[in-house]
């Protein structure tokens, strides 16, 4: 049928094209006749035996409905052929209207949003700060201390609570003498110095012993998530039940074995930790410069995005958030009500992502970039190093076409960043391991 189509196009807006499609009526009539014959074999009409109903009766009773069904099927089958034949870069589903039978043709119009044809602006004008970091011996020692703290135990302490101690206490909060929701708890455990509570709370507990009570004054931050509490002065009545001091595990063979180190002791653990940390900062540095580059380029390129693209991106981000909620709370994503996460929550970020996708696609097209398969292999090998059986991971990404395609997409985006950096004004800045990771964790939130 596609070879018989007659298609004309008309650009009706910057991001919209209208196609007028003509399909020969004889093709439709042949399908209608075929379906009428099928109906005739099974139709039951009073006064006639099954399969013996005259065609004229079938056509009179079912013809109009069958013809409409066929027309709908023909439009469905031909509209994407028409779009492809005209090399229209459609986004989302076409809108069909003005369907009519005209002379020897079925004629309809299909309006589609199209992928924006933009020129990427300002690539040579953007300024990008490229951060890097090195892992020092002190960083490695701090990381090993953190590993110890993750496995620390707490034992009773007779003295006053101090930095690093765990305090078990009851508290009751009030503002202007009135209790507020979420302001009270019993047997609450807090490690002093963890930053778990609002500023001033932990300092108010320092120096208290088991059995002591105290009322402390604190002020909620101005940007506190509960708006009714933001900036308010509050009083918390504290009743300390227990003070415990930390006992870190010894750096011995038993501790090393928990991290897969069976030979080489502390020195081998340090080597393994350093290797992991260096992998972390490599990934963090790549993410930092990518985001800095894209942020700078987006400031130079503002343009309208087809609503279909925006809707798709909003839906994608909503699904990601529902999956995160499901993982965090152990719930089934299908149980989340879509109305709980309205479009407005995602519109700003979705617009950014859609624009960025258009820009990246345009750079790839203009520069004729193709995926560097050597970089793909390197990416897979480095990712596999995080697992107990690296070869199993390598085989997985090598043999699964969809997973490999995902990696290729990431690598191609990195190649886009490399090109943009070659055009941009780049300044290099050395930062600490801690600051580089903290900045990227904040950006990912």
């Amino acid at each position: 049928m596609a070879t018989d189509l007659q298609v004309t196009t008309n650009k009706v807006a910057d991001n919209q094209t209208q196609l007028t499609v003509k399909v020969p009526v004889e093709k439709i009539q042949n399908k209608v006749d075929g379906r009428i014959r099928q109906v005739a074999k099974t139709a039951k009409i009073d006064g006639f035996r099954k399969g013996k109903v005259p065609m004229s009766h079938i056509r009179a009773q079912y013809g109009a409905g069958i013809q409409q069904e066929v027309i709908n099927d023909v439009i469905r089958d031909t509209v994407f052929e028409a779009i492809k034949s005209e090399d229209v870069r459609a986004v989302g589903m076409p809108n069909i209207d003005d369907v009519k039978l005209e002379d020897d043709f079925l004629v309809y119009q299909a309006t589609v949003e199209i992928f924006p044809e933009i020129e990427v602006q300002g690539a040579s004008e953007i300024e990008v700060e490229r951060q890097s970091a090195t892992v020092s011996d002190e960083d490695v020692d701090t990381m090993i201390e953190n590993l110890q703290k993750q496995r620390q135990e707490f034992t009773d302490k007779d003295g006053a609570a101090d930095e690093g101690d765990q305090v078990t206490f009851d508290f009751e909060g009030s503002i202007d003498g009135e209790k507020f929701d979420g302001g009270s708890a019993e047997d609450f455990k807090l490690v002093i110095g963890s930053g778990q509570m609002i500023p001033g709370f932990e300092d108010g507990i320092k120096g208290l012993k088991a059995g002591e009570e105290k009322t402390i004054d604190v002020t909620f931050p101005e940007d506190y998530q509960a708006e009714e509490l933001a900036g308010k002065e509050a009083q918390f009545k504290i009743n300390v039940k227990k003070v415990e001091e930390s006992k870190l595990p010894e750096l011995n063979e038993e501790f090393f074995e928990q991290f897969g180190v069976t030979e080489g002791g502390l020195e081998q653990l340090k080597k393994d930790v350093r290797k992991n940390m260096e992998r972390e900062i490599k990934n963090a540095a790549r993410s930092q410069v990518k985001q800095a580059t894209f942020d700078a380029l987006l400031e130079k390129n503002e343009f309208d995005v087809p609503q279909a693209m925006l809707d798709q991106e909003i839906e994608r981000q909503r699904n990601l958030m529902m999956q995160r909620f499901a993982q965090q709370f152990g719930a089934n994503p299908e149980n989340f009500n879509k109305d709980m996460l309205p479009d407005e929550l995602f519109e700003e970020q979705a617009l950014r992502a859609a624009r960025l996708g258009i820009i990246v696609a345009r750079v790839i097209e203009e520069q004729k970039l193709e995926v560097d398969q050597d970089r793909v292999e390197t990416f897979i090998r480095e990712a596999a190093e995080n697992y107990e059986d690296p070869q199993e991971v390598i085989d997985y990404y090598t043999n699964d076409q969809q997973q490999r395609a995902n990696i290729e997409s990431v690598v191609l985006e990195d190649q886009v960043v490399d090109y943009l950096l070659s055009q941009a004004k780049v300044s290099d800045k050395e930062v600490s391991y801690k600051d580089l990771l903290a900045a990227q964790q904040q950006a990912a939130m």
Side-chain angles (χ1 to χ4, degrees), residues 158-433:
D158 293 332
D162 203 351
E163 195 80 8
D165 291 341
Q166 179 171 269
V167 183
T168 303
F169 59 99
D170 300 339
F171 66 87
E172 184 179 275
S174 62
I175 296 177
D176 296 331
E178 297 291 333
K179 297 179 183 179
F180 55 89
D181 290 341
S184 302
E186 294 183 352
D187 295 327
F188 189 84
K189 293 183 183 296
L190 173 68
V191 176
I192 298 185
S194 65
Q196 183 178 348
M197 308 298 281
I198 61 176
F201 196 103
E202 294 180 11
D203 290 337
I205 295 178
K206 282 184 181 179
L208 295 180
K209 298 179 181 179
E212 292 186 337
E213 293 186 0
K214 179 182 179 182
T215 298
I216 61 176
D217 296 319
V218 295
T219 301
F220 283 94
E222 293 291 343
D223 59 352
Y224 193 68
Q225 62 267 29
E227 295 182 3
E228 69 274 12
L229 300 177
K232 298 289 183 64
E233 294 183 1
Q235 295 73 45
F236 285 90
K237 183 179 179 181
I238 308 294
N239 178 14
V240 177
K241 294 183 173 180
K242 184 188 294 186
V243 177
E244 298 170 290
E245 59 186 350
S246 169
K247 181 181 179 182
L248 298 179
E250 295 182 11
L251 295 174
N252 54 25
E253 297 300 322
E254 181 181 355
F255 181 80
F256 302 145
E257 286 178 1
Q258 295 181 54
F259 302 95
V261 176
T262 56
E263 296 181 1
L266 180 59
E267 288 307 310
Q268 185 60 47
L269 178 61
K270 286 185 176 182
K271 289 180 182 179
D272 291 350
V273 167
R274 182 184 292 275
K275 186 176 181 180
N276 288 333
M277 295 173 71
E278 288 173 345
R279 187 183 301 118
E280 278 187 310
I281 60 172
K282 180 180 179 180
N283 291 335
R286 185 183 67 188
S287 296
Q288 179 273 324
V289 75
K290 177 185 289 189
Q291 180 165 333
T293 303
F294 287 158
D295 285 348
L297 197 60
L298 281 167
E299 290 184 5
K300 300 285 187 181
N301 293 269
E302 290 191 4
F303 49 86
D304 292 335
V305 171
Q307 189 61 44
M309 288 189 72
L310 195 58
D311 291 342
Q312 290 170 7
E313 184 60 32
I314 287 173
E315 190 64 23
R316 187 186 73 83
Q317 294 194 20
R318 181 173 19 242
N319 289 336
L320 286 175
M321 181 169 286
M322 288 193 296
Q323 290 172 11
R324 286 196 293 268
F325 283 167
Q327 292 171 355
Q328 183 176 354
F329 300 111
N332 187 336
E334 295 180 0
N335 293 336
F336 285 97
N337 187 338
K338 185 176 179 179
D339 294 337
M340 296 168 57
L341 300 171
D343 291 358
E344 293 76 18
L345 287 176
F346 308 99
E347 282 181 347
E348 183 176 348
Q349 192 62 23
L351 178 59
R352 180 189 186 280
R355 280 179 176 160
L356 186 55
I358 293 167
I359 291 172
V360 168
R362 187 59 177 160
V363 171
I364 291 171
E365 183 179 9
E366 288 179 345
Q367 301 305 315
K368 298 180 173 56
L369 298 178
E370 296 182 356
V371 179
D372 186 334
Q373 293 298 333
D374 289 339
R375 289 179 66 161
V376 172
E377 297 296 336
T378 300
F379 190 102
I380 292 174
R381 284 197 305 272
E382 291 179 350
E385 291 177 359
N386 293 319
Y387 295 85
E388 185 175 348
D389 187 350
Q391 188 57 48
E392 182 179 348
V393 178
I394 291 172
D395 292 342
Y396 171 69
Y397 282 109
T398 300
N399 298 325
D400 190 307
Q401 292 185 349
Q402 181 59 52
Q403 294 300 326
R404 186 177 180 88
N406 291 339
I407 299 297
E408 290 178 345
S409 178
V410 172
V411 169
L412 188 56
E413 194 172 85
D414 286 345
Q415 292 176 234
V416 170
V417 174
D418 289 346
Y419 164 74
L420 293 172
L421 288 174
S422 72
Q423 306 298 306
K425 301 171 184 176
V426 182
S427 60
D428 291 296
K429 181 180 180 181
E430 181 78 14
V431 299
S432 70
Y433 163 84

